[in-house]
């Protein structure tokens, strides 16, 4: 089983739509969770961290379900500028003060006018 | 502040040649990471350093790959000899102590013919 799994998409949605991405992770010892955004031919950038209680940043809402080892990202009122690949990222402590980020392969979103 | 700086941005070389990729992390960051991204495998961690010391190099594919960090402001990733299957985008990222957020450089797009 892959460590972090995402639906690769693409998700093609009209402007203004609500879209949700899901991600599952295999390591129950994982400590921290993130969504990164990667534009075409650019580097990944942190979009938001994901907290157990869920968190919201404007149009973006992230949820974590530790029991099911499941993370979600909801984007409301999609904008053309939201078109990108969204990477689910899990941070796992691997001992001796060592943490390691494991990236999913990403879900591609295209917002259509 | 300058972000993570990588050079070169693009590299085209022939099989068998030595390739050296360079990275300057964000000033004050204690952690430096080297990643490789391909369509097939996504973003993979190759090696990371803490305070210039290699902590985990289990992601380095084989002995042809080596990485050094001679000081806090410079790291290199070397491939010798290069092979066509090494073609990928290589990212360097850095983070500060106690922070989960990694800041990525723009990447080096490597093509090995």
């Amino acid at each position: 089983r892959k460590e972090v799994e995402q639906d690769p998409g693409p998700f093609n949605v009209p402007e203004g739509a609500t879209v949700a991405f899901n991600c599952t992770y295999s390591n129950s010892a994982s400590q921290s969770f993130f969504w990164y955004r990667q534009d075409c031919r650019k580097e990944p950038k942190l979009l938001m961290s994901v907290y157990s209680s869920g968190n919201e940043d404007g149009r973006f809402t992230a949820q974590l379900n530790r029991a099911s080892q499941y993370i979600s990202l909801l984007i409301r009122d999609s904008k053309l500028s939201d078109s990108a690949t969204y990477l689910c990222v899990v941070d796992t402590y691997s001992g001796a003060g060592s943490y390691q980020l494991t990236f999913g392969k990403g879900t591609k979103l295209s917002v259509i006018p | 502040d300058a972000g993570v700086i990588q050079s070169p941005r693009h590299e085209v070389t022939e099989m068998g040649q030595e390739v050296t990729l360079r990275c300057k992390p964000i000033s004050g960051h204690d952690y430096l990471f080297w990643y490789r991204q391909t369509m097939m495998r996504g973003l993979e961690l190759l090696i990371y350093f803490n305070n210039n010391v290699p902590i985990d190099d289990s992601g380095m594919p084989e002995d042809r790959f080596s990485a050094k960090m001679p000081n806090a402001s410079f790291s290199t990733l070397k491939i010798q000899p290069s092979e066509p299957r090494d073609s990928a985008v290589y990212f360097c990222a850095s983070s500060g102590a106690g922070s989960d957020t990694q800041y990525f450089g723009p990447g080096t797009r490597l093509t090995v013919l």
Side-chain angles (χ1 to χ4, degrees):
Chain A
R1 181 180 172 187
K2 295 178 184 174
E3 291 190 53
V4 180
E5 288 203 63
Q6 296 182 249
D7 181 343
F11 284 59
N12 299 314
V13 303
E15 273 186 288
T18 295
V19 61
F21 306 137
N22 302 319
C23 165
T24 57
Y25 61 95
S26 61
N27 190 339
S28 59
S30 296
Q31 300 290 318
S32 305
F33 310 89
F34 311 90
W35 285 100
Y36 274 68
R37 170 190 168 133
Q38 186 172 23
D39 293 301
C40 186
R41 301 180 76 87
K42 298 285 188 180
E43 70 273 21
K45 292 183 180 179
L46 178 67
L47 176 66
M48 59 195 304
S49 301
V50 187
Y51 304 119
S52 296
S53 55
N55 49 300
E56 188 173 307
D57 182 3
R59 299 181 292 108
F60 298 82
T61 301
Q63 296 277 357
L64 167 65
N65 184 322
R66 284 188 185 270
S68 301
Q69 295 180 204
Y70 170 97
I71 305 160
S72 66
L73 177 68
L74 182 78
I75 305 175
R76 291 180 298 279
D77 188 23
S78 300
K79 311 291 185 191
L80 295 176
S81 57
D82 294 335
S83 297
T85 296
Y86 291 83
L87 305 172
C88 176
V89 185
V90 174
D91 189 357
T92 306
Y93 181 66
S94 53
S98 173
Y99 290 83
Q100 193 172 112
L101 287 187
T102 302
F103 286 76
K105 288 188 178 180
T107 299
K108 185 173 181 180
L109 170 67
S110 293
V111 181
I112 303 163
Chain B
D1 283 341
V4 175
I5 299 171
Q6 290 187 248
S7 64
R9 294 293 303 277
H10 301 273
E11 176 82 28
V12 180
T13 191
E14 293 189 344
M15 183 173 64
Q17 296 299 305
E18 178 179 294
V19 175
T20 300
L21 311 181
R22 296 173 176 80
C23 175
K24 176 178 169 54
I26 292 172
S27 177
H29 280 189
D30 297 322
Y31 289 86
L32 184 141
F33 306 83
W34 282 102
Y35 291 90
R36 177 173 69 176
Q37 187 173 40
T38 61
M39 288 291 292
M40 288 293 295
R41 301 174 67 91
L43 199 61
E44 301 173 285
L45 178 66
L46 300 177
I47 185 171
Y48 78 95
F49 296 83
N50 181 17
N51 291 320
N52 313 338
V53 176
I55 301 300
D56 186 348
D57 65 353
S58 60
M60 296 286 261
E62 49 197 272
D63 291 345
R64 297 185 298 106
F65 286 70
S66 63
K68 294 181 179 179
M69 192 165 185
N71 58 61
S73 59
F74 183 65
S75 177
T76 59
L77 177 68
K78 186 173 294 186
I79 308 172
Q80 166 63 20
S82 58
E83 297 181 3
R85 61 192 168 121
D86 301 331
S87 298
V89 181
Y90 290 81
F91 288 105
C92 175
S94 69
S95 68
S99 171
D100 288 338
T101 304
Q102 293 187 14
Y103 296 86
F104 283 75
T108 295
R109 188 170 296 273
L110 174 65
T111 303
V112 183
L113 302 173

